[in-house]
Amino acid sequence: MKLVILDRDGVINQDSDNYVKSAAEWIPLPGSIEAMARLSRAGYQVAIATNQSGLGRGLFPATALTEMHNKMKTLVTKAGGRIDALVWCPHTPDDQCDCRKPAPGLIYQIEQHLGLSAKNAWIVGDSLRDLEAGIAAGCKPVLVKTGKGLRMLEKNSESLNAPVFDDLAQFVDQLLQTEISE
Ligand SMILES: [Mg+2]
Ligand SMILES: [Zn+2]
């Protein structure tokens, strides 16, 4: 099962406590774009599942989200990779939707989009709710220390049952290396 599901903010790009609201504010983390391209080249499908409650809160318009995602896609394509599925939750917690992580709705959307099961796929996040959403859909959770990851790790070090990596690039190094040696 060659599918990796990524959270966006804090995993692919710099997170902000004030929300990432425009393409200008969307800044990739070191090595993340290249890591996604390496996954594509190794035959993995790359999917992204992101909570974007800034939409529901009216902090930025849908056009800004499109511009952020166009920027991301262009960078990944230039690096020789591909984003196979990209889904987001526009709701706020008050909406009580079934797609805002930790609910698994976005993972199910990815399954529908790609026409495959996400069971045993990797899910990479910097928040507990990313990992919980993945676990609810049968994915294997991975935490990265970028974004909110380090803070999260310090708070939940005992209860967390997931491998931890410095960043997405280090996880992809490990994943592809393990494959070669298998
Ligand atoms: Mg995040
Ligand atoms: Zn939602």
Side-chain angles (χ1 to χ4, degrees):
M1 164 47 141
K2 293 188 113 183
L3 169 63
V4 177
I5 300 170
L6 306 173
D7 174 43
R8 198 197 77 173
D9 299 332
V11 173
I12 301 171
N13 57 282
Q14 291 177 12
D15 200 4
S16 166
D17 288 335
N18 298 315
Y19 297 84
V20 179
K21 301 180 293 298
S22 66
E25 290 179 1
W26 194 94
I27 299 163
L29 288 165
S32 69
I33 299 293
E34 179 57 24
M36 292 164 75
R38 285 159 60 209
L39 286 172
S40 295
R41 291 199 295 263
Y44 277 84
Q45 307 228 41
V46 178
I48 301 169
T50 177
N51 283 357
Q52 291 299 326
S53 68
L55 282 172
R57 298 175 209 268
L59 297 175
F60 54 85
T63 50
L65 191 70
T66 304
E67 286 165 12
M68 291 179 226
H69 289 169
N70 286 343
K71 180 177 182 178
M72 174 169 64
K73 284 177 192 164
T74 300
L75 290 170
V76 172
T77 304
K78 274 188 188 159
R82 200 174 77 165
I83 296 168
D84 298 285
L86 170 55
V87 296
W88 60 89
C89 165
H91 307 113
T92 70
D94 294 340
D95 293 330
Q96 306 213 330
C97 66
D98 58 10
C99 49
R100 181 175 163 82
K101 295 177 283 184
L106 292 179
I107 314 294
Y108 300 147
Q109 287 182 32
I110 288 169
E111 289 183 321
Q112 282 195 334
H113 185 86
L114 296 178
L116 48 79
S117 167
K119 202 154 185 277
N120 292 322
W122 294 100
I123 183 152
V124 184
D126 70 319
S127 297
L128 198 54
R129 61 188 179 193
D130 301 321
L131 310 190
E132 287 169 345
I135 290 165
C139 305
K140 297 181 283 190
V142 170
L143 180 78
V144 288
K145 291 185 193 169
T146 48
K148 298 182 171 71
L150 197 55
R151 254 184 288 167
M152 218 290 282
L153 188 62
E154 284 162 358
K155 263 193 276 174
N156 299 282
S157 57
E158 277 127 61
S159 56
L160 186 77
N161 194 10
V164 180
F165 292 90
D166 287 342
D167 57 14
L168 179 60
Q170 196 196 45
F171 165 67
V172 171
D173 282 346
Q174 173 78 41
L175 179 65
L176 300 185
Q177 212 168 43
T178 311
E179 254 193 0
I180 291 162
S181 66
E182 267 170 4

